[in-house]
Amino acid sequence: MTKQEIPTYISHIRKSEAGEEYVFQSNEEHSNGVAKMAESFAREFGMGSWGYVLGLLHDKGKERKAFQEYIMQNSGFRPGLTVTGEHNHAFVGGLIAKSIYGKGSESLLCNQIISHHSGLHDYCHIEDILKKDIPSDVNRCVEKIQLNRPPFSFSIITGHKGMTPDANHLSRMLFSCLVDADYLDTELFMSEKSARKRINGITLQSLLPMLETYIDNLQKSSPVSEVNAVRKIVLERCVSLSNVERGFYSLTVPTGGGKTLSSLVWALRHAVHNGMKRIIIAIPYTSIIVQTASILKQIFGEEAVLEHHSNFDPQSIKGKEMQHKAKLATENWDYPIVVTTNVQLFESMFSNRPSDCRKLHNIVNSVIILDEVQTLPTDYLQPIVDALKSYQNMFGISVLFTTASQPVLSGLIEGCNPKAAFQGIDNITEIIPKEYALHDKLRRVCLEIDNTSCTYDEIAARLSRHNKVLCIVNTRDDAREIFKRLPNEGMTIHLSRMMCPRHISKAIKEIKQALSDNSETVIRVVATQLIEAGVDIDFPVVYRQEAGLDSILQAAGRCNREGKLDMATTYVFSLSLEHKLYGSIIDANNARLNMVNVNDWFAPETMTEYFRQLYCRKETFDKKDLKTLLYKPTEMCFAEAAKEFRLIEETGKTVYVNMDDSLELVERLKSDGITYSLMKQLSQYSVNIHERDFLKLWSYEAIEEVIEGIYVVNDQAQYDENIGLRLDNHWMNEILTI
């Protein structure tokens, strides 16, 4: 290759497919490619020219002499070349953007460019960076491109002095357009085969007939019953109310009313009606995600449904091509239907990292189904609601809140601290009218609440009177203590997060199979809340430890689910003789206990009153004070907010247990190092434990650190086939027994 074939400014270098020569991408070619792609992404929310400018300027710093030396040396093209001076390049484009577009460009142009590798910076760091001089070896003469006025409120762009929740999401969305375009254009040059695998021509329009055929066949094969009649009513209502404008909607359907399929019908028809591109289903529990994704893949096929959560491994998909496509799609959600967790969705919305944020622009013009919406943490309710409002206002989304226990999300939301009050969503349209009275039509359970203090022995004795019974408790310790007191007969099953995901899935499958056989086999299950919502099981009797009303009604939804009995009972009990309640469950239980003159625990207005009672006990709906960090457009702290916004606090340690082929995966981890696929497979054998329990296991050498930060419990005897990970020293127990 001659010198004339080397670009003046190189952006990327790779070896040819034959491996005999080097191939170059010029900086001009890369910048133009990123600019056009970012423009197309940003055009979806009316800011195409902003995306174009971001792409055009983001790599101007690669014109630096030191960077050109660095890339030739680092790529192996000229390994002996000495790099003279500083070669960082990202900050340069930000300085040029500031020089062209002046004050007010810091949060919507400069920060995105400066941060496109490192992650969005806090405003004070950006201010310091922007004090630098543009390097003399960079051409600063750049044509000023006119930035178009977006179709939404312009105040968040032109130096708005007040507080607004919109600005940080707009900044992050433009960042998403840039970083995904940068990743994709780079991939197209460096690995064209991978880039071509991303192409997915499936549209929501093409999926609608498949869904309609599936439901038609399902209805034809379903037996005539009261429950199925109600499911048909819900479905027909979702069909009739789907051709509406974008906005906020709710689907409040008692457990067993078929809301999973009905909500999908509404979302798909609504999306097609409004020319929307994607459906994103966010679910709080992985057990429900696996179940929901399985149904959707049966209807639409693997190529239309992306399953994105910590326990999903693309290796489980048949066919190498689809495995690779699924892995690529988790990076930016470029699939027609995405099934994910609340954690993945909302933590991405508040992240500052390029890898998290690159998917955000694919939420634009989407329908978001928030399933089991009552599980949204009240400690973060204000930033979550504000984010949804911002996304609806600027990015044209629709949101469907689905649950049997609809929380209060509209109007003024007030806590016990007057300063904690915030304005909820102005208008949420409920799809099911009150006069339908579905809670009456689907009334299959009565609640029997006993506030008398009980012991583990007493509850175990009560459970033992039933041949088929489910007991749901609040903690892992409670589940273990009751389980070990049950008689060893028939199927006695324990379910808690002391079991790894693979073990839990197997146990739930066994329970479902045993219940469907309609045999006389004894089936007694003691579980934590992991089985409380979304898991399709049907017990004739359910016991629920005292908790908030939403949790109790969710537990009742596992009782007489298919209406096979005229009426069944869910018993609510207290374990206060064993211990007091603690954590967030105290407020939830007290809110329920404080409700007086309740005529019908299942009525929607009762649930509304419950949430009012719950909210009035809250000191804050913004636990980490994110509005201070993010709501002032000129002083946004992206890095700090991303660190603070954690829907699930990381209070423990993850260990991997010895079950099935887990140790084979660990050996591969030792030899091959950490890979995406390996960690996804290994996550099926993970258990999260408290720091104190980790230290206990470590003290008697039950844990091995195989790679820095990766801990394995090698001893198979330390993992019980019934209760999961044991915290006691089984070696010492065996010695004492002898």
Side-chain angles (χ1 to χ4, degrees), residues 63 67 78 108 113 140 156 162 172 209 222 290 317 414 494 623 646 662 684 721 730:
E63 295 176 6
F67 179 85
R78 290 182 179 169
L108 295 180
I113 294 169
R140 59 185 299 165
I156 60 174
R172 221 178 269 103
S222 297
V290 171
I317 297 174
E414 299 178 278
H494 160 278
K623 180 181 178 181
R646 288 289 178 268
S662 64
Q684 287 291 312
E721 62 179 7
H730 81 90

Side-chain angles (χ1 to χ4, degrees), residues 339-442:
V339 189
T340 190
T341 61
N342 288 347
V343 171
Q344 182 69 240
L345 174 65
F346 289 115
E347 289 192 2
S348 294
M349 284 184 175
F350 286 91
S351 180
N352 72 319
R353 296 168 53 198
S355 57
D356 292 332
C357 289
R358 62 180 293 196
K359 68 173 74 75
L360 295 180
H361 73 89
N362 277 325
I363 301 176
V364 175
N365 293 325
S366 295
V367 180
I368 297 178
I369 299 176
L370 285 180
D371 195 21
E372 305 297 351
V373 66
Q374 80 283 353
T375 62
L376 291 177
T378 51
D379 284 339
Y380 293 98
L381 198 60
Q382 179 172 4
I384 287 172
V385 168
D386 286 346
L388 293 174
K389 288 161 65 177
S390 294
Y391 269 68
Q392 207 289 311
N393 173 47
M394 296 187 292
F395 310 131
I397 68 167
S398 284
V399 181
L400 180 65
F401 302 109
T402 71
T403 181
S405 311
Q406 200 68 240
V408 177
L409 296 175
S410 59
L412 184 66
I413 297 174
E414 299 178 278
C416 61
N417 177 0
K419 293 182 179 179
F422 74 100
Q423 189 61 40
I425 297 162
D426 289 338
N427 183 46
I428 302 175
T429 302
E430 172 58 49
I431 292 173
I432 305 297
K434 284 184 179 179
E435 56 267 26
Y436 277 37
L438 294 186
H439 65 287
D440 275 335
K441 291 185 173 70
L442 286 173

Side-chain angles (χ1 to χ4, degrees), residues 539-606:
F539 278 86
V541 182
V542 170
Y543 281 72
R544 180 57 167 98
Q545 185 184 356
E546 61 181 350
L549 181 60
D550 54 335
S551 293
I552 288 171
L553 295 193
Q554 289 291 343
R558 310 312 116 195
C559 184
N560 197 21
R561 185 179 178 87
E562 295 298 324
K564 295 173 184 176
L565 306 173
D566 289 338
M567 188 62 64
T569 304
T570 292
Y571 299 93
V572 180
F573 63 91
S574 168
L575 285 172
S576 56
L577 276 181
E578 296 289 352
H579 61 78
K580 293 180 180 180
L581 297 177
Y582 49 86
S584 60
I585 204 160
I586 296 174
D587 284 344
N589 192 54
N590 286 340
R592 176 184 62 83
L593 292 173
N594 203 55
M595 297 170 68
V596 294
N597 301 322
V598 176
N599 296 318
D600 185 356
W601 288 108
F602 294 88
E605 54 268 25
T606 304

Side-chain angles (χ1 to χ4, degrees), residues 665-692:
L665 296 172
V666 170
E667 289 305 312
R668 284 171 54 193
L669 197 67
K670 290 178 181 177
S671 60
D672 302 345
I674 294 175
T675 67
Y676 173 89
S677 179
L678 262 180
M679 293 310 296
K680 281 289 186 184
Q681 292 177 71
L682 201 53
S683 69
Q684 287 291 312
Y685 305 100
S686 64
V687 177
N688 189 266
I689 55 177
H690 291 296
E691 183 80 25
R692 64 176 182 273

